[in-house]
Amino acid sequence: MLMEGLQTPFTINDLAFKDGFLPIIFNGASDAILFIQVEENAYRFIMANKAFFDETGFTKEQVIGQLVDTILPPEVYTNLLRRYEEAVLTKAPVTYESETVLPGGKHIFEITITPIFDTDQVCRYLVGVSRDITHRDCDCDE
C-alpha cells in the first residue's frame, strides 16, 4: 500500500499553505483562472493566473482590483453579466462558449463560472475558468 509510510493524515490546507501547493497549481494551470469578488451591483477582479494574462493580452495592472465592467467591451460585459447572474441564482456552475476580441486578439473561449457562497448562502466570489478553444477544430494543413 502506497500510503503506509504516512504517520498522520493530512489535509488540503497542509499542502496549500505549508508547501505552497495551491500557488503552484494556480500559476501552473494551462487554463485561465480568475477570482471575482461579488459586490453590491458590481463585480471586481481580485486575482488571475498567468494563463489568464497570456490568453487575454491584459496586464495585471489593467485588471486586478478593477471592476469587470470597466475592463471589458460593453457587449462582452453584457453577456458575461447574464452568466454571472445565472451562476449566482442557480447556485451552480455555468459553462458557455464566447467569441471575444481582446488585447490578445480574437479568441473563442469555453468558460465556466462557479459561484462561491459564505455560510449564510450569500455569493461572495465567482471563480472563472476559461480555455481558449479558438484552434480546437482548426485544420492546420490549410
Side-chain angles (χ1 to χ4, degrees):
M1 177 184 279
L2 293 174
M3 303 297 274
E4 287 177 3
L6 291 178
Q7 298 299 316
T8 58
F10 63 91
T11 67
I12 191 66
N13 286 336
D14 294 331
L15 294 175
F17 300 107
K18 179 181 174 201
D19 298 323
F21 193 62
L22 286 182
I24 291 169
I25 293 171
F26 182 71
N27 287 310
S30 60
D31 290 340
I33 304 170
L34 61 139
F35 289 90
I36 298 162
Q37 184 172 323
V38 178
E39 300 179 359
E40 191 171 330
N41 300 316
Y43 299 92
R44 185 178 305 277
F45 288 112
I46 58 170
M47 188 183 310
N49 70 348
K50 181 181 180 313
F52 172 84
F53 296 109
D54 291 347
E55 280 186 4
T56 64
F58 285 119
T59 65
K60 288 180 184 179
E61 295 75 23
Q62 290 174 305
V63 173
I64 302 304
Q66 302 300 315
L67 294 175
V68 175
D69 66 337
T70 65
I71 302 299
L72 300 175
E75 64 279 0
V76 173
Y77 179 71
T78 300
N79 182 41
L80 193 57
L81 182 60
R82 286 195 343 262
R83 307 306 180 151
Y84 287 179
E85 290 171 348
E86 180 183 351
V88 172
L89 290 173
T90 63
K91 297 185 177 187
V94 173
T95 301
Y96 65 99
E97 289 184 10
S98 177
E99 186 173 313
T100 309
V101 178
L102 297 169
K106 182 177 177 179
H107 296 274
I108 301 170
F109 294 105
E110 179 181 75
I111 302 167
T112 299
I113 304 294
T114 303
I116 306 296
F117 294 85
D118 66 14
T119 55
D120 295 323
Q121 293 304 302
V122 175
C123 183
R124 299 293 182 189
Y125 302 97
L126 297 171
V127 177
V129 177
S130 113
R131 174 171 290 160
D132 188 340
I133 60 170
T134 305
H135 302 290
R136 178 172 65 184
D137 297 322
C138 172
D139 184 357
C140 297
D141 293 335
E142 290 183 4

